Amino acid sequence: MRAMQEAVKERGRFAIALSGGRTPAKLYVLWAHAEEQGVTTPWNRVHLFWGDERYVRHDDLLSNYRMAREALIARVPIPAANVHPMPTGQAEPEKAAETYESELRAFFGSEPPAFDVQLLGLGVEGHVASLFPASPALEETKRWVAAVEAPAQPPKRLTLTPAVLNQGRNTLFLVAGADKREIVQALRGEPISKPSQYPAGRIRPAGRVLWFLDRAAAGTAGS
Ligand code: 6PG
């Protein structure tokens, strides 16, 4: 909330990059619920973008856009022009990545692509957004959006690259479940002086980085 107020005050808008996965879905439902409880969001100032997307139709069950639409967008008065899903209708994902990059460049103008908030999940092998271990997109310093082949279903995906994700003003990692405990510990144990061997560890923006772990992922739940 504070990040949103600051962004609206300083820049007249709040740009957030949403994530897919099960964990953020709960947050979207809570955000929509807050609206019903009278905690209002200045929706005309909020711009929703995506950190990654599965290359499927927007009405597909696997679509990250669909998940956010059902949990949040359809329940709040956000102007349609403020919702910026990753395009998935083109035959070539590479072209779709270029289209989304142009949309981001038009939005940020001459400023760096620094999201006010970026929500990120964590995969059991350390993936973040759709940046999986050994993906060439991890080395991307110029392109903002990449079309990638992920070792997950569905394999074709679009993802923001570290060129964008390392600019974020507020980065929120949302991690839940005992299956994440090992990777959380591995990331914690890495020296920060060296580049991380995990994609999630390669996202080290100068802004605020917060990790939200449930007890199972943090390793504090009884086993
Ligand atoms: C996706 C994601 C991905 C996700 C992690 C964690 O589209 O799959 O954006 O990076 O955030 O896999 O997902 P869970 O929260 O479901 O564990």
Side-chain angles (χ1 to χ4, degrees):
M1 263 311 198
R2 204 180 68 195
M4 178 152 60
Q5 283 158 356
E6 274 173 18
V8 170
K9 197 165 151 220
E10 286 165 26
R11 289 176 291 284
R13 46 115 179 113
F14 173 69
I16 178 167
L18 304 179
S19 161
R22 289 160 297 147
T23 320
K26 294 177 194 147
L27 182 70
Y28 305 156
V29 170
L30 286 176
W31 197 358
H33 193 60
E35 193 71 20
E36 288 152 22
Q37 302 298 309
V39 183
T40 52
T41 293
W43 290 108
N44 56 341
R45 306 294 182 123
V46 172
H47 285 263
L48 303 180
F49 289 88
W50 271 259
D52 73 327
E53 183 57 279
R54 292 97 182 257
Y55 210 72
V56 294
R57 288 165 49 120
H58 280 164
D59 58 2
D60 192 287
L61 274 178
L62 291 173
S63 162
N64 286 343
Y65 165 72
R66 175 188 161 121
M67 187 270 274
R69 191 188 64 212
E70 289 179 357
L72 174 69
I73 300 164
R75 303 181 192 199
V76 298
I78 185 165
N82 293 13
V83 180
H84 309 266
M86 287 184 159
T88 55
Q90 284 156 272
E92 290 172 37
E94 289 72 17
K95 287 266 177 281
E98 282 170 23
T99 304
Y100 204 57
E101 179 158 336
S102 304
E103 185 164 352
L104 287 172
R105 287 192 187 271
F107 181 81
F108 285 106
S110 55
E111 291 169 32
F115 281 101
D116 296 304
V117 167
Q118 51 193 24
L119 300 179
L120 297 175
L122 175 68
V124 287
E125 76 304 59
H127 83 254
V128 67
S130 281
L131 296 167
F132 285 74
S135 168
L138 278 167
E139 311 306 328
E140 200 53 71
T141 52
K142 290 206 181 72
R143 281 188 307 153
W144 290 2
V145 187
V148 294
E149 290 282 332
Q153 281 307 319
K156 282 196 191 318
R157 293 166 179 232
L158 300 179
T159 185
L160 298 184
T161 68
V164 176
L165 296 175
N166 273 323
Q167 303 281 338
R169 294 175 196 274
N170 295 278
T171 301
L172 276 52
F173 280 92
L174 308 176
V175 189
D179 57 337
K180 305 288 171 69
R181 188 180 298 184
E182 215 172 296
I183 183 66
V184 166
Q185 276 171 1
L187 284 162
R188 270 187 181 151
E190 282 196 315
I192 53 162
S193 52
K194 284 200 207 145
S196 171
Q197 59 168 310
Y198 305 106
R202 303 277 288 270
I203 306 306
R204 290 179 180 164
R208 218 177 279 142
V209 179
L210 297 171
W211 284 77
F212 291 90
L213 306 171
D214 73 351
R215 294 180 66 177
T220 55
S223 48

